[in-house]
Amino acid sequence: ISNRSLTERIMLVFYAGNKSQDSGIAEMEELPVPHNIKISNITCDSFKISWDMDSKSKDRITHYFIDLNKKENKNSNKFKHKDVPTKLVAKAVPLPMTVRGHWFLSPRTEYTVAVQTASKQVDGDYVVSEWSEIIEFCTADYSKVHLTQLLEKAEVIAGRMLKLSVFYRNQHKEYFDYIREHHGNAMQPSVKDNSGSHGSPISGKLEGIFFSCNTEFNTGKPPQDSPYGRYRFEIAAEKLFNPNTNLYFGDFYCMYTAYHYVILVIAPVGSPGDEFCKQRLPQLNIKDNKFLTCNEEDGVMVYHHAQDVILEVIYTDPVDLSLGTVAEITGHQLMSLSTANAKKDPSCKTCNISVGR
């Protein structure tokens, strides 16, 4: 159903649906009940739906009633909110029918859907079939198209580029002791948490190691404060980021704050992480982008990062501690800056796109 045809041909209605005469909608068994419902072409904010029907009284069908709810609310006849419809009344169009985000569909969210056939009467009331069986499905992650929209928004506020020389990772002393004792001195990739955009295809799927690279404006060095622990592993930038690695844009978000985060992924060329990102994320030119660059000048690799966003860099391969140094920082542990499983502000106009949150 196109947006235009929705404006012209579709109306949203609220009703309790409990065979109530008060609603002006009567039940009538003669209308065929949809069965064998199929959901296909699922995106982060749309899907196609089709079903089978008995031929009896099929020619009387004028409309379809589609009831959609988040899975945690399985009662198809109750409102999610008084101002948010759960039911779509659509003219009987050929199947499959495309349903777009008119319920503000969210990405990576489980929903239930059920269908009725209906016949509109002269007085404006409907006679309807019984509800079909309830089908469950899950919306998809952001596609590359959606991530490119986020990328373009992030580029607007990235700011000028500042020099950097190291990547760093803050943790507690116990973390580094554990790495030395149980992992042969090599930090291991782990699955990314659910912080950031709800539709991000890397959350809960991409394995990597988080690094920071932002510097203080006045010193050109990493800040001495950290929310993640008082011990810091520092590694020369060229050991993680060089012409043998690819760079990808992963996410752009904020947490009800004035500052914004950009997630970038660095993956050695041809590695499993590189193959994962190549299929799902926009790739950046390592020499020319708005966030993190790597260029050779007079035989030396020179690195720059964006000043006005906080970069979170995920490196997708193990990293040996012997490639850098571990030392205690002198600053404070600012827990308020932690992004662990942080929820994105869905109302921010700077870092949201016009699809489900």
Side-chain angles (χ1 to χ4, degrees):
I1 303 173
S2 69
N3 287 333
R4 182 175 179 181
S5 65
L6 272 168
T7 303
E8 297 171 350
R9 301 169 56 200
I10 295 178
M11 62 179 177
L12 295 172
V13 296
F14 302 88
Y15 69 100
N18 285 325
K19 300 184 179 180
S20 170
Q21 293 182 351
D22 293 340
S23 67
I25 301 175
E27 298 283 341
M28 190 170 182
E29 292 186 11
E30 283 82 355
L31 286 176
V33 179
H35 61 274
N36 193 25
I37 296 175
K38 299 182 182 69
I39 305 293
S40 61
N41 296 82
I42 300 171
T43 72
C44 68
D45 67 343
S46 70
F47 60 92
K48 284 187 176 182
I49 185 168
S50 63
W51 56 84
D52 297 331
M53 290 181 289
D54 296 331
S55 58
K56 183 181 179 182
S57 300
K58 193 173 181 179
D59 57 347
R60 293 181 55 233
I61 297 172
T62 62
H63 292 77
Y64 304 136
F65 289 7
I66 302 174
D67 186 32
L68 184 75
N69 292 276
K70 286 188 176 180
K71 190 175 176 182
E72 56 263 31
N73 180 10
K74 291 189 177 182
N75 187 336
S76 63
N77 293 322
K78 287 189 176 179
F79 303 128
K80 291 179 288 186
H81 184 279
K82 66 177 183 178
D83 296 323
V84 181
T86 63
K87 295 177 180 66
L88 171 69
V89 177
K91 285 192 174 180
V93 296
L95 301 176
M97 179 173 65
T98 299
V99 179
R100 301 197 183 279
H102 308 298
W103 293 279
F104 308 101
L105 285 167
S106 297
R108 198 186 285 200
T109 302
E110 293 184 324
Y111 289 92
T112 62
V113 64
V115 187
Q116 286 176 313
T117 58
S119 176
K120 190 172 185 179
Q121 306 301 293
V122 176
D123 60 4
D125 284 347
Y126 292 89
V127 292
V128 297
S129 72
E130 296 287 342
W131 282 107
S132 71
E133 73 272 28
I134 295 175
I135 299 297
E136 298 179 358
F137 71 100
C138 185
T139 47
D141 298 331
Y142 284 158
S143 67
K144 276 189 179 181
V145 171
H146 298 119
L147 287 171
T148 299
Q149 294 175 19
L150 271 183
L151 165 62
E152 292 169 351
K153 280 180 162 282
E155 288 175 336
V156 172
I157 70 161
R160 70 179 180 131
M161 304 291 277
L162 301 177
K163 276 192 174 183
L164 71 105
S165 59
V166 299
F167 291 100
Y168 55 96
R169 174 173 172 80
N170 285 80
Q171 284 286 347
H172 298 285
K173 181 178 182 296
E174 292 77 13
Y175 168 83
F176 294 110
D177 290 342
Y178 186 86
I179 293 300
R180 295 184 184 100
E181 183 177 351
H182 296 280
H183 291 293
N185 217 44
M187 293 185 291
Q188 300 296 314
S190 59
V191 177
K192 184 195 171 297
D193 66 10
N194 289 314
S195 60
S197 299
H198 190 54
S200 173
I202 62 178
S203 293
K205 296 180 181 179
L206 176 67
E207 294 188 355
I209 305 170
F210 263 108
F211 285 91
S212 299
C213 65
N214 289 80
T215 59
E216 291 183 321
F217 178 78
N218 56 341
T219 67
K221 296 181 179 180
Q224 282 299 306
D225 299 323
S226 167
Y228 299 112
R230 296 190 56 81
Y231 282 78
R232 173 173 294 170
F233 172 73
E234 284 191 9
I235 184 171
E238 60 264 26
K239 292 184 179 179
L240 297 186
F241 188 35
N242 53 62
N244 294 319
T245 56
N246 284 326
L247 181 68
Y248 298 91
F249 173 83
D251 201 4
F252 177 45
Y253 70 100
C254 72
M255 303 178 296
Y256 303 88
T257 56
Y259 43 87
H260 281 79
Y261 295 83
V262 169
I263 297 180
L264 303 175
V265 183
I266 297 175
V269 175
S271 66
D274 189 36
E275 293 304 314
F276 177 95
C277 294
K278 194 171 294 183
Q279 298 174 34
R280 297 168 177 83
L281 306 181
Q283 186 170 349
L284 303 176
N285 183 338
I286 66 170
K287 295 182 179 181
D288 182 21
N289 67 79
K290 298 290 187 180
F291 310 109
L292 182 66
T293 59
C294 165
N295 286 282
E296 185 175 343
E297 297 178 9
D298 300 323
V300 177
M301 301 306 295
V302 178
Y303 296 87
H304 290 83
H305 70 88
Q307 173 186 355
D308 294 336
V309 293
I310 300 175
L311 297 180
E312 298 181 298
V313 179
I314 300 176
Y315 187 76
T316 62
D317 273 12
V319 177
D320 200 289
L321 295 179
S322 65
L323 296 175
T325 60
V326 176
E328 188 173 3
I329 61 175
T330 59
H332 301 286
Q333 188 170 334
L334 303 176
M335 294 308 295
S336 62
L337 293 179
S338 173
T339 61
N341 287 308
K343 300 303 180 185
K344 180 174 182 174
D345 178 0
S347 65
C348 178
K349 294 181 180 180
T350 301
C351 62
N352 281 291
I353 54 178
S354 57
V355 296
R357 300 293 185 251

